[in-house]
Amino acid sequence: MPAPHSEGRAEEPAKFAVSSAEPSPKSGARVTTLELFFDLAFVFNFTQLARVLSRDMTPRGVGQVLLIFWLLWWMYGGYAWLTNHLPPHRRHHRVLLLLGMASFLVIGLATPNAFHGNGVAFGIGYLVIVSVHAALFAFGGPGAARNMLRIAPFHTVGAALIICAGFLDGWIVYALWITAVGLEVIAPVVTGVSGFELKPGHFVERHGLLMIIALGDSFLALGIGTDGGQTPPSVVTTAVLIFVIPAGLWWVYFDESEKAYRAELALERQEAVPRSRLALAAFFYAHVPMLLGLILIAAAVKKTIVHPYDPLGLAPSVALAGGVALYLGGIAWFHGILKIGPQRFHFTAAFLAVLAIPVGHMKSAVAEVVLLGVLIGAALLSDHRWTKKMAHLYH
């Protein structure tokens, strides 16, 4: 599978304008309540990854989070493509999807100790997830079954490697995990994406709902960070300031410029195979920095809210600013792939967010939070003004 890329200059105004003469995206399948329920179980794993990172903000902890995240995100993408192709309307489809949810729950419970103690449970849960995924695709017709037969061996061998790692200790554990992740990476390169008929409306809506839940998870980290103790005025004030970050990041993704509409239209214009490649680039790869950014923010918030007016440790300071930078960079990449909005404002804000690290580490946590909030707000305002200008010129 080719890596995601952006053709041409993303800021060219004419490429963003949606002319009244152009057709609207075709109405089609939409996300079911069971899929939304499934996403809640999946995002529980994000909460656990933030827990792992907040407990161990070292290169080892970061490496563990990245390995677990990639396996989980790859299989979430597999289920998103699955339900796009085969909506869970029949009873046996729903039962299997619920089994997949239960497996994500098992994985989430095993995640904090996946590399020491609960590796076998994690691997078994992952094996069930990939098996359910393959079984559901078998109900999607001979074409879908053939495509899945090409991909399933990569998933199965990867799960077996994770189970084996659970019985071992030392460097071999990480070697097996890296091999399992590598198998998932090369699978689409070997098998390709032909044969999958993507429904743009469902795909865009599904990932939008996932982002709302993931943003909500970073918001809930505010409450978890207080540990249920007394909340003095300083903590309350800081919580409100921190809330500006997930609220602003929500606005960046779901703003008034109808980017979901534009994203759907961008996919609708493509033929089947280019559409699948474009969807993989925009809704899988470009969403990776956004979701990793939210995990970093959630992990940092737990450290930030406890002593808001003290200097923040270097690791949580890097996690907080780095999370915002990753998210904004992912948004800019997403815009460029689909050509649905400007990139320069968000890339600039992402670069400047890194400069907030010494502010938090040397001055105070709340100072870093305020600076990051200002940067997100500036990116939003610039994007909003650009959108109004384009609407005035082309509508």
Side-chain angles (χ1 to χ4, degrees), residues 18-19 22-28 30 199-202 204 258-269:
V18 180
S19 169
E22 291 180 341
S24 298
K26 298 175 184 177
S27 59
R30 294 296 173 180
K199 304 178 184 71
H202 174 276
V204 172
E258 301 181 0
K259 285 177 185 162
Y261 169 86
R262 293 182 180 185
E264 188 176 339
L265 187 61
L267 293 176
E268 194 69 61
R269 288 170 175 160

Short mmCIF file of all heavy atoms in Angstrom, two decimals, residues 18-19 22-28 30 199-202 204 258-269:
data_model
loop_
_atom_site.label_atom_id
_atom_site.label_comp_id
_atom_site.label_asym_id
_atom_site.label_seq_id
_atom_site.Cartn_x
_atom_site.Cartn_y
_atom_site.Cartn_z
N VAL A 18 -16.20 24.44 -2.82
CA VAL A 18 -17.23 23.49 -3.23
C VAL A 18 -18.27 24.27 -4.02
O VAL A 18 -19.08 25.00 -3.46
CB VAL A 18 -17.89 22.81 -2.03
CG1 VAL A 18 -18.94 21.83 -2.49
CG2 VAL A 18 -16.83 22.10 -1.21
N SER A 19 -18.20 24.16 -5.32
CA SER A 19 -19.09 24.95 -6.16
C SER A 19 -20.50 24.45 -6.04
O SER A 19 -20.77 23.27 -5.84
CB SER A 19 -18.61 24.84 -7.62
OG SER A 19 -19.57 25.36 -8.50
N GLU A 22 -21.35 21.58 -8.29
CA GLU A 22 -20.87 20.24 -8.02
C GLU A 22 -21.91 19.43 -7.27
O GLU A 22 -22.66 19.97 -6.46
CB GLU A 22 -19.59 20.30 -7.17
CG GLU A 22 -18.40 20.86 -7.94
CD GLU A 22 -17.17 20.91 -7.08
OE1 GLU A 22 -17.31 20.85 -5.84
OE2 GLU A 22 -16.06 21.00 -7.63
N PRO A 23 -21.97 18.13 -7.50
CA PRO A 23 -22.95 17.30 -6.81
C PRO A 23 -22.61 17.14 -5.34
O PRO A 23 -21.45 17.16 -4.96
CB PRO A 23 -22.82 15.95 -7.54
CG PRO A 23 -21.43 15.94 -8.07
CD PRO A 23 -21.12 17.37 -8.43
N SER A 24 -23.62 17.03 -4.54
CA SER A 24 -23.40 16.75 -3.13
C SER A 24 -23.00 15.30 -2.97
O SER A 24 -23.26 14.47 -3.83
CB SER A 24 -24.69 17.02 -2.33
OG SER A 24 -25.05 18.37 -2.45
N PRO A 25 -22.33 14.97 -1.86
CA PRO A 25 -22.01 13.56 -1.61
C PRO A 25 -23.27 12.70 -1.62
O PRO A 25 -24.32 13.13 -1.15
CB PRO A 25 -21.35 13.59 -0.23
CG PRO A 25 -20.84 14.97 -0.07
CD PRO A 25 -21.82 15.84 -0.80
N LYS A 26 -23.14 11.51 -2.16
CA LYS A 26 -24.29 10.63 -2.23
C LYS A 26 -24.70 10.17 -0.84
O LYS A 26 -23.87 9.87 0.00
CB LYS A 26 -23.96 9.40 -3.08
CG LYS A 26 -23.61 9.74 -4.53
CD LYS A 26 -23.17 8.49 -5.27
CE LYS A 26 -22.71 8.82 -6.69
NZ LYS A 26 -22.21 7.62 -7.38
N SER A 27 -26.00 10.15 -0.59
CA SER A 27 -26.47 9.61 0.68
C SER A 27 -26.28 8.11 0.67
O SER A 27 -26.42 7.46 -0.35
CB SER A 27 -27.96 9.96 0.90
OG SER A 27 -28.72 9.42 -0.15
N GLY A 28 -25.96 7.54 1.80
CA GLY A 28 -25.71 6.11 1.87
C GLY A 28 -25.77 5.62 3.28
O GLY A 28 -26.41 6.23 4.14
N ARG A 30 -25.07 4.87 7.06
CA ARG A 30 -24.58 5.69 8.15
C ARG A 30 -24.21 4.79 9.33
O ARG A 30 -24.53 3.61 9.37
CB ARG A 30 -25.63 6.73 8.57
CG ARG A 30 -25.91 7.77 7.48
CD ARG A 30 -24.67 8.61 7.19
NE ARG A 30 -24.86 9.50 6.05
CZ ARG A 30 -23.93 10.34 5.59
NH1 ARG A 30 -22.74 10.38 6.17
NH2 ARG A 30 -24.18 11.11 4.56
N LYS A 199 -17.80 3.18 1.31
CA LYS A 199 -18.91 4.12 1.35
C LYS A 199 -18.45 5.38 2.06
O LYS A 199 -18.29 5.38 3.29
CB LYS A 199 -20.11 3.49 2.06
CG LYS A 199 -20.58 2.17 1.46
CD LYS A 199 -21.75 1.61 2.26
CE LYS A 199 -22.17 0.24 1.74
NZ LYS A 199 -21.17 -0.82 2.06
N PRO A 200 -18.21 6.47 1.34
CA PRO A 200 -17.59 7.66 1.95
C PRO A 200 -18.36 8.24 3.12
O PRO A 200 -17.76 8.61 4.14
CB PRO A 200 -17.53 8.65 0.79
CG PRO A 200 -17.47 7.80 -0.43
CD PRO A 200 -18.35 6.63 -0.12
N GLY A 201 -19.69 8.35 3.01
CA GLY A 201 -20.47 8.96 4.08
C GLY A 201 -20.29 8.23 5.40
O GLY A 201 -20.06 8.85 6.45
N HIS A 202 -20.39 6.91 5.36
CA HIS A 202 -20.22 6.11 6.57
C HIS A 202 -18.82 6.24 7.12
O HIS A 202 -18.61 6.39 8.33
CB HIS A 202 -20.52 4.64 6.25
CG HIS A 202 -20.25 3.69 7.37
ND1 HIS A 202 -19.00 3.18 7.62
CD2 HIS A 202 -21.07 3.17 8.33
CE1 HIS A 202 -19.04 2.38 8.67
NE2 HIS A 202 -20.29 2.35 9.12
N VAL A 204 -16.49 8.64 6.79
CA VAL A 204 -16.19 9.94 7.38
C VAL A 204 -16.90 10.09 8.72
O VAL A 204 -16.32 10.54 9.71
CB VAL A 204 -16.61 11.07 6.41
CG1 VAL A 204 -16.49 12.43 7.09
CG2 VAL A 204 -15.74 11.03 5.15
N GLU A 258 -17.52 22.97 7.42
CA GLU A 258 -18.10 21.78 6.81
C GLU A 258 -17.02 20.86 6.22
O GLU A 258 -17.13 20.36 5.11
CB GLU A 258 -19.10 22.16 5.73
CG GLU A 258 -20.25 23.02 6.22
CD GLU A 258 -21.23 23.37 5.12
OE1 GLU A 258 -21.01 22.94 3.97
OE2 GLU A 258 -22.20 24.08 5.41
N LYS A 259 -15.99 20.61 7.00
CA LYS A 259 -14.91 19.78 6.49
C LYS A 259 -15.33 18.32 6.34
O LYS A 259 -14.78 17.59 5.52
CB LYS A 259 -13.67 19.92 7.37
CG LYS A 259 -12.97 21.24 7.14
CD LYS A 259 -11.79 21.44 8.04
CE LYS A 259 -11.23 22.85 7.82
NZ LYS A 259 -10.37 23.28 8.91
N ALA A 260 -16.28 17.89 7.16
CA ALA A 260 -16.77 16.52 6.99
C ALA A 260 -17.44 16.37 5.62
O ALA A 260 -17.24 15.36 4.93
CB ALA A 260 -17.75 16.17 8.10
N TYR A 261 -18.21 17.38 5.24
CA TYR A 261 -18.85 17.38 3.93
C TYR A 261 -17.79 17.35 2.83
O TYR A 261 -17.90 16.60 1.85
CB TYR A 261 -19.73 18.63 3.81
CG TYR A 261 -20.26 18.90 2.42
CD1 TYR A 261 -21.44 18.30 1.97
CD2 TYR A 261 -19.59 19.77 1.56
CE1 TYR A 261 -21.92 18.56 0.70
CE2 TYR A 261 -20.07 20.03 0.30
CZ TYR A 261 -21.23 19.42 -0.14
OH TYR A 261 -21.70 19.68 -1.40
N ARG A 262 -16.76 18.17 2.99
CA ARG A 262 -15.71 18.24 1.98
C ARG A 262 -14.93 16.92 1.92
O ARG A 262 -14.54 16.48 0.84
CB ARG A 262 -14.76 19.39 2.29
CG ARG A 262 -15.41 20.76 2.16
CD ARG A 262 -14.39 21.84 2.44
NE ARG A 262 -15.00 23.16 2.31
CZ ARG A 262 -14.32 24.29 2.41
NH1 ARG A 262 -13.03 24.25 2.66
NH2 ARG A 262 -14.93 25.45 2.27
N ALA A 263 -14.68 16.31 3.07
CA ALA A 263 -13.97 15.04 3.10
C ALA A 263 -14.77 13.96 2.39
O ALA A 263 -14.22 13.16 1.61
CB ALA A 263 -13.68 14.63 4.54
N GLU A 264 -16.07 13.93 2.65
CA GLU A 264 -16.93 12.95 1.98
C GLU A 264 -16.93 13.17 0.48
O GLU A 264 -16.87 12.22 -0.31
CB GLU A 264 -18.35 13.08 2.55
CG GLU A 264 -19.29 11.99 2.09
CD GLU A 264 -20.65 12.10 2.75
OE1 GLU A 264 -20.76 12.73 3.83
OE2 GLU A 264 -21.62 11.55 2.17
N LEU A 265 -17.00 14.42 0.07
CA LEU A 265 -17.00 14.74 -1.35
C LEU A 265 -15.67 14.37 -1.99
O LEU A 265 -15.63 13.85 -3.12
CB LEU A 265 -17.30 16.23 -1.56
CG LEU A 265 -17.49 16.70 -3.00
CD1 LEU A 265 -18.68 15.98 -3.64
CD2 LEU A 265 -17.69 18.21 -3.05
N ALA A 266 -14.56 14.60 -1.28
CA ALA A 266 -13.24 14.26 -1.82
C ALA A 266 -13.13 12.76 -2.08
O ALA A 266 -12.54 12.33 -3.09
CB ALA A 266 -12.16 14.71 -0.85
N LEU A 267 -13.69 11.94 -1.19
CA LEU A 267 -13.67 10.49 -1.40
C LEU A 267 -14.64 10.09 -2.50
O LEU A 267 -14.35 9.19 -3.30
CB LEU A 267 -14.03 9.77 -0.10
CG LEU A 267 -13.04 9.89 1.05
CD1 LEU A 267 -13.59 9.20 2.30
CD2 LEU A 267 -11.69 9.29 0.68
N GLU A 268 -15.79 10.74 -2.55
CA GLU A 268 -16.82 10.38 -3.52
C GLU A 268 -16.35 10.59 -4.96
O GLU A 268 -16.75 9.85 -5.87
CB GLU A 268 -18.08 11.23 -3.27
CG GLU A 268 -19.33 10.73 -3.97
CD GLU A 268 -19.83 9.42 -3.39
OE1 GLU A 268 -20.17 9.38 -2.21
OE2 GLU A 268 -19.88 8.44 -4.16
N ARG A 269 -15.47 11.55 -5.16
CA ARG A 269 -15.01 11.87 -6.51
C ARG A 269 -14.09 10.80 -7.09
O ARG A 269 -13.87 10.75 -8.30
CB ARG A 269 -14.23 13.19 -6.49
CG ARG A 269 -15.09 14.43 -6.29
CD ARG A 269 -14.18 15.61 -6.03
NE ARG A 269 -14.92 16.86 -5.95
CZ ARG A 269 -14.46 17.96 -5.37
NH1 ARG A 269 -13.26 17.94 -4.81
NH2 ARG A 269 -15.18 19.06 -5.34
#
